[in-house]
Amino acid sequence: MVKQKEDLLQQKSPAEFFADNRTIAGFDNPGKCLYTTIRELVENGLDAAESISQLPEIEITVTEISQQQLNRMRGVTNHDRIDEELYQDFETDGVKQKRLAKEAKEMERLEKQAAKRGDTAAALDGKKKELEVKRAQASRADKVFFQDNGMGMAHKDIPDMLGRVLSGTKYGVKQTRGKFGLGAKMALIWSKMSTGLPIEVTSARPGSATRSYFKLDLDIQRNQPNVHEQKLLDNSDGWHGAELSVIIAGNWQYYRAKVLKYLQQIAVITPYAQFEFAFQAEDEKNSIRVTFARRTTTMPQPPKACRCAAWQAPARLCLGLATKHHPSSVDLELIKRLAASTPCTSLTSFLSKEFDCISRDLAGKHCACLHATKRVARVLERSLAAALVASAEKIPLEMRCDPSTSPAELTSKQIVAMHDLLHQLRFHNPDGAHLSPAGEYNLRLGIMKELRPEMVATHQGAVGVHEGHAFIVEAAISVGGRNIKPGLNIHRFSNRIPLLFEGGSDVITRTAIKRINWSQYKINQTSDKVGVFVSLVSTKIPFKGAGKEYIADDVEEIQLAVRTAIQQCCVQLKNKITKQQAARDQRQRKKNLTKYIPNVAAALFTWQTARKTSKQARTKRRRRDEEAEEVVLGVRSGDVTEPTLVARLQQHVEQIDVDMALEYQLQQGVTEAAKLEAHLMPLSARHAYGPESHCDVGVIRRLQEL
Ligand SMILES: Nc1ncnc2c1ncn2[C@@H]1O[C@H](COP(=O)(O)OP(=O)(O)OP(=O)(O)O)[C@@H](O)[C@H]1O
């Protein structure tokens, strides 16, 4: 029987798979491809610089390339069109009419908008030009040039690092921006698919006497690098880092706003980095240059890594530094892989050296732990390997193992028994020392530098755990500032990467919109300009999709941590907002009182002089207090003039203002920061102080008498 064509078994290389399904890696259309290429290169550069504790310096230049230039680069001759109708961009009269009508409508809309906002004619002209450029730009090629000052790449590894899909140095339990070993390769795949041009790379590691130069592309069917040219260049000036140049089909005009927003947000979360960005248009007038300047030299603590015994093979390119796996996060395959590659010869050392939170004295620590149940404590009184044996009564004979068993000799059934036990026992949670959050200082600084808000509050949550992976949530809430719209402006970060797409399903967006009662904190979520910044760092971020665009909303621990972090910031802000409101009210009250002083003084003065002898005045006078009586007498005798009365009233308002401020401060309670210990010596032996002494600038409250 002849086999049907569709029955034929076929295989795909990983490169082929991702070339066919570019969207899942964030390479949807030319504009998005340009954006994602920039993003992947920037994140690689930041990882590379931070891995050697170098303050990052990132330079990106996007150069617009015309069809003629592109053809010249590819060695394709330009041709004149003989029959226009054969071309895609040919427009029949009807289509042209429709397009022109649509454009006219759009212009009308822009004009109306401009009139409403009171834009100048120049601004409107700019918008018109933008519209024209957008149309002309629809399918242009862009050259992306990128440079960093990171650790660079070893000469022999460059082809694999950039030309083989799913290869990289960031696999394992590590907090890095990169994870999949895919990003840079997708840029290569897209350049190959859209322009057919190879990429050029220059790189040098710190202290290297030479720089490596490669011109290469990626063989998509075979998933292997295809090196066109390679050479070693002189590096006498000691440069280190990476330089990449890739030519892809892009659409700058449509993604310009996204690229700039991405750079602004990465500058917020990375204020210790310097970013230089330039777009060079064919028409110089449309070019832009932006610098996001470094504002601090304080970098977050790098993640603490440890060398696991088994962490060498199979990833040939791996640096060998990673966090050990937490026992509750392991699966059967992982145990098998670790057992096969560990140099440990006994089960006891295998467990204590290859896994996090299993030390040789684990039993003792667990017994000391108040939360440990008696049963767990008993099991953990021995080493874990011994526990495997201890629980052997429940394990069938062929699944039991001796603590001295070599891990390499473990049978599949023994591995199953070990896996089950590791998931049943209770271990300390990972301590998060291997995580590197941005830090409240950096987050606040980044926000202040980019948004200049009126007030900002930050909070870093405690270390949480999800599937054996530690995570930390940091949040900042700002109110007011420049270039910020009224309402909630949500900024999401994961492992210090800004997330700009698919926000609707993200845990951060959903929490901010649905799970926070903003009015409770005196924040109006529709009219106040609120910036919500939440950053999650972890060795495993539950992303949905390889594009790493949004974090799943179904992990309860993360959901709760995000909510708590936002609420903590809101509590801080509520205090500030309440104080601000009270101060505003007080200012208003003082303003009102002061405003009416001249009128009150004039009225009082006239009234008193007119009625100084009347009977009514005499009866009322009895009820007045002494102070008022003194003023009235002064007015009557002519000692108190109208200007004196005005001055006295002003003095009185000032005094009320100070008294009320003190009263408010006392009601709020004196904060620790405002307290100052002081020892007052009496001037004489006879003294009597009340519990509190008030003065113009503060209150002295007596705690004890010496
Ligand atoms: N600028 C750079 N400097 C030093 N090494 C780099 C640089 N860019 C890439 N690399 C190396 O190449 C590897 C592959 O990079 P790639 O962008 O393909 O994936 P990744 O960053 O590991 O993961 P992801 O796909 O999640 O971004 C990286 O792991 C890194 O070792």
Side-chain angles (χ1 to χ4, degrees), residues 40-41 43-45 47-48 146 148 150-153 161-162 167-170 177-185 203 241-242 244 548:
E40 292 291 351
L41 296 178
E43 284 157 21
N44 282 347
D47 276 343
F146 165 85
D148 68 44
M151 70 183 298
M153 291 168 268
M161 278 178 166
L162 301 176
S167 63
T169 53
K170 302 170 194 168
R177 294 178 179 82
K179 196 90 254 167
F180 302 128
L182 182 66
K185 270 79 78 177
S203 185
L244 261 110
K548 298 186 281 183

Side-chain angles (χ1 to χ4, degrees), residues 490-536:
I490 300 166
H491 306 265
R492 305 171 286 133
F493 303 92
S494 72
N495 281 348
R496 297 197 255 126
I497 304 175
L499 307 177
L500 260 57
F501 293 89
E502 302 178 58
S505 319
D506 189 284
V507 61
I508 296 167
T509 318
R510 291 172 82 107
T511 305
I513 293 175
K514 294 188 177 166
R515 301 175 190 126
I516 303 287
N517 181 1
W518 293 94
S519 58
Q520 190 186 329
Y521 305 102
K522 299 197 178 295
I523 296 173
N524 187 324
Q525 79 182 90
T526 44
S527 62
D528 287 342
K529 292 175 172 181
V530 187
V532 180
F533 301 80
V534 180
S535 163
L536 170 70

Side-chain angles (χ1 to χ4, degrees), residues 18 60 114 129 212 216 237 276 294 531 560 585 608-609:
F18 282 106
I60 314 130
K129 231 174 251 157
S212 313
L216 59 95
D237 60 356
E276 302 279 350
R294 173 180 299 132
L560 187 71
D585 290 351
Q608 281 304 328
T609 18

Side-chain angles (χ1 to χ4, degrees), residues 602-636:
L604 200 71
F605 200 79
T606 326
W607 182 72
Q608 281 304 328
T609 18
R611 292 182 167 259
K612 54 185 167 187
T613 53
S614 80
K615 201 177 161 192
Q616 192 187 358
R618 268 200 303 276
T619 23
K620 281 208 174 167
R621 201 171 56 210
R622 271 179 233 124
R623 287 188 226 130
R624 284 190 203 113
D625 59 25
E626 269 174 39
E627 207 179 341
E629 186 70 13
E630 214 183 300
V631 176
V632 172
L633 286 175
V635 170
R636 285 172 62 192

Side-chain angles (χ1 to χ4, degrees), residues 34 62-64 140-144 246-248 250-252 279:
L34 175 64
V62 177
T63 312
E64 204 173 47
R140 284 278 170 85
D142 290 302
K143 175 176 165 179
V144 182
V246 56
I247 299 174
I248 53 172
N251 191 340
W252 164 253
F279 171 72

Side-chain angles (χ1 to χ4, degrees), residues 465-466 471 473 507 511 536 538 540-542 551-552 555-563:
V465 181
H466 155 59
F471 69 83
V473 173
V507 61
T511 305
L536 170 70
S538 176
K540 189 180 178 192
I541 304 259
I551 306 166
V555 181
E556 226 172 89
E557 298 88 340
I558 295 183
Q559 209 185 79
L560 187 71
V562 170
R563 199 172 78 198

Side-chain angles (χ1 to χ4, degrees), residues 267-334:
V268 165
I269 199 85
T270 329
Y272 51 90
Q274 174 90 9
F275 298 94
E276 302 279 350
F277 177 81
F279 171 72
Q280 274 170 11
E282 271 191 287
D283 182 352
E284 194 49 41
K285 283 201 295 276
N286 297 322
S287 298
I288 56 166
R289 179 168 284 280
V290 200
T291 300
F292 295 92
R294 173 180 299 132
R295 281 299 156 88
T296 173
T297 51
T298 310
M299 286 171 76
Q301 283 288 318
K304 282 201 185 98
C306 53
R307 191 176 286 275
C308 317
W311 195 256
Q312 291 138 8
R316 187 159 53 88
L317 305 174
C318 178
L319 292 178
L321 285 175
T323 307
K324 293 195 265 187
H325 294 271
H326 191 269
S328 57
S329 72
V330 295
D331 56 47
L332 281 170
E333 265 313 296
L334 185 70

Side-chain angles (χ1 to χ4, degrees), residues 114 134 212 225 245 271 300 313 414 574 669-670 678:
K134 254 188 190 176
S212 313
S245 168
Q414 286 169 331
K574 187 182 172 185
V670 183

